[in-house]
Amino acid sequence: MSSLYYNNTMNMTKNTLFTHTPVEFGKDTYIMAIESSCDETACAIVKNGREVISNVVASQIKTHAQFGGVIPEIAAREHLEAINPVISEAFKQANLKPDDITAFAGTVGPGLVGCLLVGLNAAKTLALVYDKPFIGINHLNAHICANYIDTELKPPFIALLVSGGHTQIIDVKSYDEQTILGETIDDAVGEAYDKVARLIGLPYPGGPLLDKLAQQGNPNAYKLPDAKVGDFDFSFSGLKTAVLRLVKSVDINDEQVVKDVCASFQECVSSTLIKKVKKALEVSGYKQVVIAGGVAANSEIRKKIFELEGFKVFAPPMKYCTDNAAMVASCAYFNTNTYNDIDVEVFSRA
Ligand code: KG4
Ligand code: ZN
């Protein structure tokens, strides 16, 4: 518990560009951000941290589906092909020119190194060519900031971050100060979804498909184990093994059986997540909670979090849950602990 959110070795610098009250100076702020940490090449322009002016995402899902997962080398090459058209489209949709942009932001990490390099270098190049500030962003932090888009959310709040690579409960004390209360000790939720989906023969990424099947199944059909770990920590590898055993013992060719397995798995994951979020809310005393990351698109997790009584709940619309650049631009506006050195290098792990 209480580890600092940024536990990598790079120096964060104070972003003195934005004070969170730019309107005071009577000037609107337009940030163009680029995201390329995994298999989405994305570019967006966001006004004053909350208003999305343009949002373009080129997904590589079709390419990687045939391999059952993301192939980093292929992903990096596809980013190279997509990056220029995606940036041009973001300017076009916004009807803005590079000179209208206040600052250029890019994801620094965590993510796939070859992929990150493409987007980050594009953001740096735009900043250098048009003589504008550059802001480097942490991808996980950006997912949380997706909740600032089109809302009036202000810290403090508890964040449940659930993505393909991470599962964390975070105490967001202020725009800049956050503490990880707990995280997964093995698989991330999205990873567990994708692995279980593969077990039952669904194509990559299996998470959204598994979610769809689960909605048609009985969540109480099979009892699956809830791991015993620390108050705010998670473990999903035992659950994954239990599903593997279950799949071997039932008739997997029966459509209803598959739906019941999916529903039982989804029930186990979502109730574990919500139980721990509830505890974090109790301990912190906060009255606001947000979900973030690709798995925040999950129907059952959304349903359960919105059922929490006595709390203001925020969940980004689906398009801002999975990887996108609008969340990166919002983060560049709100969070002043960023990587602003134009020489900053990408990093793979948080
Ligand atoms: O945040 P994200 O787009 O990429 C990472 O930063 O990891 O998350 C992708 C993950 C994948 O594992 C995908 O299967 C999962 O989010 N996902 C879902 C749903 N939609 C996306 N998992 C469960 N239910 C969904 N509806
Ligand atoms: Zn992500």
Side-chain angles (χ1 to χ4, degrees):
M1 222 162 94
S2 293
S3 57
L4 272 179
Y5 193 47
Y6 296 106
N7 56 358
N8 54 69
T9 51
M10 276 191 309
N11 289 331
M12 309 284 296
T13 46
K14 201 84 187 155
N15 174 3
T16 50
L17 267 180
F18 307 112
T19 60
H20 304 147
T21 52
V23 256
E24 244 177 53
F25 307 106
K27 210 164 180 260
D28 286 326
T29 298
Y30 292 89
I31 299 182
M32 172 175 262
I34 298 173
E35 155 66 38
S36 66
S37 63
C38 190
D39 56 349
E40 262 97 27
T41 320
C43 183
I45 300 174
V46 174
K47 181 180 171 185
N48 298 335
R50 298 197 192 256
E51 191 186 333
V52 179
I53 307 294
S54 65
N55 182 41
V56 183
V57 181
S59 172
Q60 307 177 3
I61 282 180
K62 276 197 187 128
T63 305
H64 301 291
Q66 57 189 304
F67 304 107
V70 178
I71 309 292
E73 190 59 35
I74 296 176
R77 266 185 267 146
E78 290 222 354
H79 282 304
L80 268 178
E81 276 176 34
I83 193 80
N84 285 346
V86 163
I87 293 169
S88 303
E89 183 60 24
F91 276 123
K92 197 170 140 203
Q93 276 184 15
N95 199 19
L96 291 176
K97 302 178 299 302
D99 271 340
D100 301 322
I101 302 297
T102 316
F104 290 94
T107 305
V108 179
L112 300 168
V113 166
C115 297
L116 286 161
L117 277 170
V118 178
L120 187 68
N121 282 326
K124 286 178 175 179
T125 306
L126 284 163
L128 286 171
V129 169
Y130 295 103
D131 197 20
K132 305 278 176 163
F134 159 78
I135 306 171
I137 294 296
N138 178 301
H139 180 80
L140 303 184
N141 208 352
H143 269 302
I144 296 173
C145 292
N147 283 284
Y148 295 132
I149 297 171
D150 291 336
T151 70
E152 289 178 0
L153 172 68
K154 289 188 178 82
F157 53 83
I158 291 295
L160 172 66
L161 174 65
V162 276
S163 73
H166 297 85
T167 303
Q168 298 177 336
I169 294 187
I170 302 148
D171 174 351
V172 181
K173 297 178 202 310
S174 69
Y175 288 110
D176 305 322
E177 202 189 343
Q178 32 201 355
T179 306
I180 299 173
L181 298 178
E183 58 192 325
T184 182
I185 58 166
D186 41 55
D187 290 353
V189 190
E191 198 179 350
Y193 261 91
D194 294 341
K195 285 179 180 170
V196 167
R198 204 177 314 151
L199 282 180
I200 55 175
L202 300 176
Y204 173 85
L209 293 170
L210 200 160
D211 182 12
K212 269 210 186 103
L213 292 175
Q215 289 172 51
Q216 301 160 46
N218 172 7
N220 303 311
Y222 304 104
K223 179 91 191 99
L224 291 164
D226 184 7
K228 302 277 170 288
V229 284
D231 271 359
F232 301 117
D233 288 333
F234 303 97
S235 166
F236 296 108
S237 72
L239 173 62
K240 187 185 60 196
T241 311
V243 177
L244 176 63
R245 270 199 224 107
L246 176 62
V247 165
K248 282 184 178 160
S249 70
V250 295
D251 179 7
I252 206 69
N253 296 314
D254 181 328
E255 218 174 278
Q256 194 53 48
V257 168
V258 172
K259 288 174 181 171
D260 289 348
V261 170
C262 292
S264 302
F265 168 76
Q266 182 139 297
E267 177 57 28
C268 183
V269 172
S270 56
S271 45
T272 302
L273 291 172
I274 301 303
K275 187 174 74 191
K276 304 219 167 188
V277 164
K278 256 180 163 168
K279 177 117 196 158
L281 284 165
E282 265 168 44
V283 171
S284 66
Y286 297 164
K287 291 287 169 223
Q288 302 188 109
V289 58
V290 316
I291 50 173
V295 190
N298 183 267
S299 63
E300 190 58 30
I301 298 170
R302 288 177 94 88
K303 181 172 158 267
K304 282 194 168 64
I305 204 153
F306 276 106
E307 280 169 1
L308 289 173
E309 275 178 27
F311 300 97
K312 251 179 137 173
V313 181
F314 293 82
M318 307 293 182
K319 63 180 173 187
Y320 302 136
C321 284
T322 44
D323 287 350
N324 67 88
M327 67 183 194
V328 180
S330 183
C331 189
Y333 179 87
F334 282 109
N335 197 309
T336 60
N337 285 317
T338 46
Y339 308 97
N340 302 330
D341 183 349
I342 199 86
D343 291 328
V344 67
E345 285 177 20
V346 299
F347 65 92
S348 61
R349 298 187 70 84

